[in-house]
Amino acid sequence: DGDTVPVRVADLDDGAAVAIERGLTLALAATPPGDTRAGILNDLDLRVGPNTVAGQFSIVTGGARPKLVFGLAATTFALADLPVAAAAPGAGAKAVAPARSGRIFAETPVDFSILRAVDADGRIAIGKLVLDDGRTFDNVKVQLALAAGKLNVSEFSAAAWGGTLAGAATID
């Protein structure tokens, strides 16, 4: 339908770029290694709207699940600039906000089955993360590993509200 353009690592020449425009500009430039079957993108430069992400990304196959290995960094990253598919209420129906229970987390169960689809090992660094509502977090750093459905965020840190948030988390 013209909404997507498939791109294979083998199609990228040294420093080549692919751009897709349809209300959103997506550009990718990378330097693949000599053996493009490895699924490795070095010197990655990915732009989604005004957001620019640089680093390395690879997909390792041959195991029980594909494994994503990455090191990504962005100077500024605004979530409002990402394309998000929104589900519209039925025709003529108005969306009704659920009643608040006073709990921090929603009472609706969260489906974590997607964590079993791939394994991952990576790090993300963002100089300034801008949330949809305009709030910001500075110096965001995340180190994570995902194996057999278990997500281990061994490091999380961000500067906000005049201090630093730091911690670790595991979802199993």
Side-chain angles (χ1 to χ4, degrees), residues 2-171:
D3 285 340
T4 60
V5 176
V7 178
R8 299 176 315 144
V9 172
D11 295 336
L12 296 174
D13 291 328
D14 214 14
V18 175
I20 301 167
E21 291 189 41
R22 189 175 177 123
L24 168 72
T25 300
L26 173 66
L28 170 68
T31 305
D35 181 4
T36 57
R37 293 173 296 163
I40 299 171
L41 296 176
N42 293 316
D43 305 317
L44 179 68
D45 181 15
L46 175 65
R47 284 179 231 130
V48 180
N51 295 313
T52 299
V53 178
Q56 292 79 34
F57 182 88
S58 66
I59 300 173
V60 180
T61 59
R65 286 164 298 287
K67 183 174 183 178
L68 311 176
V69 180
F70 56 90
L72 303 172
T75 303
T76 300
F77 198 87
L79 296 179
D81 294 325
L82 295 178
V84 178
K94 292 184 179 181
V96 177
R100 300 276 307 178
S101 67
R103 295 181 184 200
I104 294 174
F105 298 104
E107 294 176 15
T108 308
V110 177
D111 182 7
F112 289 109
S113 63
I114 189 71
L115 296 179
R116 291 186 206 94
V118 297
D119 290 341
D121 188 8
R123 68 185 194 298
I124 300 169
I126 303 172
K128 182 177 193 173
L129 176 64
V130 183
L131 303 182
D132 287 341
D133 63 6
R135 288 183 287 163
T136 62
F137 292 91
D138 295 318
N139 200 23
V140 176
K141 294 180 183 174
V142 178
Q143 177 77 39
L144 64 89
L146 173 62
K150 182 177 181 178
L151 175 62
N152 181 28
V153 179
S154 58
E155 174 192 353
F156 169 81
S157 64
W161 307 297
T164 300
L165 302 168
T170 300
I171 297 175

